[in-house]
Amino acid sequence: MSQTVTAARPDAVELLIADHRTVEQLFQQLELASKTSAVENQRDLAQRLVRDLSVHAAAEEQVLYPTLRRSLDEGDRLADEGVAEHAELKQLLADLDSAQPGDDRFFPGFRRVMEIVRAHVAEEEATVLPRLRQALGQDALYELAEALFNAKRLAPTRPHPHAPTRPSANIVVGAATSFTDRTRDVIRDTPMFRSR
Ligand SMILES: [Fe+2]
């Protein structure tokens, strides 16, 4: 957890770790906000978490996991574990996507999301990313960063628990759902369309 991202051009490992730090900051802000009555702030943080986690999960499924399968001895097992964790996470996020801060399920749901994500991050940073760094050269890690960056640009911003997790289908489905999600984001972020 102590690695700092300083490079102007991050490689894939640095990019994923930076994502993890951003999400952890959002968790901490949501924890703090849960102790206040700042409902608008709670809702904004929750929406950012759903968006960031959905994008991160999709990019890992489209780019990171196929690379693990190709490059690491135990890559299939590691990728399968990641897909299973994402499935639980995306189902939870889909349930929470319509929840409001006043709902009974809102904070318990996000606390469960935090548990799953923190375990996923710990495993990825302790085992998966160091092995990936060892297996790929620095050039390949830069190329992988580029692919992750592009996947994130096209990724759906909402959780789609039933979408395929393998890249060939994911990219097509991802592009379609991404367009719909991003249109919904714009509408939802427009003040007159906010639900309350
Ligand atoms: Fe991750």
Side-chain angles (χ1 to χ4, degrees), residues 16-17 19-20 56-57 60 64-65 86 117 120-121 124-125 129:
L16 291 169
I17 289 175
D19 273 4
H20 294 164
H56 181 79
E60 287 194 339
L64 178 66
Y65 295 161
H86 281 178
V117 171
H120 170 81
V121 163
E124 211 166 85
E125 294 190 11
L129 297 181

Side-chain angles (χ1 to χ4, degrees), residues 8 33 40 50 69 102 125 136 139 148 173 189:
E40 188 74 8
V50 170
R69 292 183 195 283
E125 294 190 11
L136 302 184
D139 285 350
L148 280 167
V173 176
D189 288 345

Side-chain angles (χ1 to χ4, degrees), residues 1 4 10-11 15 18 21 32 42 50-51 54 75 84 88 92 99 105 119-120 126 130 141 149 152 156 185 187 195:
M1 288 285 196
T4 317
D11 67 28
L15 194 69
R21 295 299 168 278
L32 278 178
Q42 294 166 358
V50 170
R51 190 160 36 198
S54 301
E88 188 185 359
L92 257 172
R105 66 196 163 114
H120 170 81
L141 284 174
F149 185 76
K152 285 174 72 174
D185 287 345
I187 292 171
S195 42

Side-chain angles (χ1 to χ4, degrees), residues 32-101:
L32 278 178
S34 73
K35 299 181 175 78
T36 71
S37 53
V39 173
E40 188 74 8
N41 189 27
Q42 294 166 358
R43 188 186 299 116
D44 286 347
L45 289 166
Q47 284 176 3
R48 267 203 70 188
L49 272 170
V50 170
R51 190 160 36 198
D52 283 14
L53 287 169
S54 301
V55 168
H56 181 79
E60 287 194 339
E61 286 168 12
Q62 286 169 19
V63 176
L64 178 66
Y65 295 161
T67 308
L68 297 183
R69 292 183 195 283
R70 276 197 308 274
S71 317
L72 300 187
D73 279 347
E74 286 186 278
D76 278 330
R77 181 182 64 77
L78 293 169
D80 288 344
E81 282 174 10
V83 167
E85 284 165 9
H86 281 178
E88 188 185 359
L89 178 67
K90 285 190 284 188
Q91 189 59 59
L92 257 172
L93 292 174
D95 294 343
L96 284 169
D97 197 24
S98 59
Q100 296 295 323

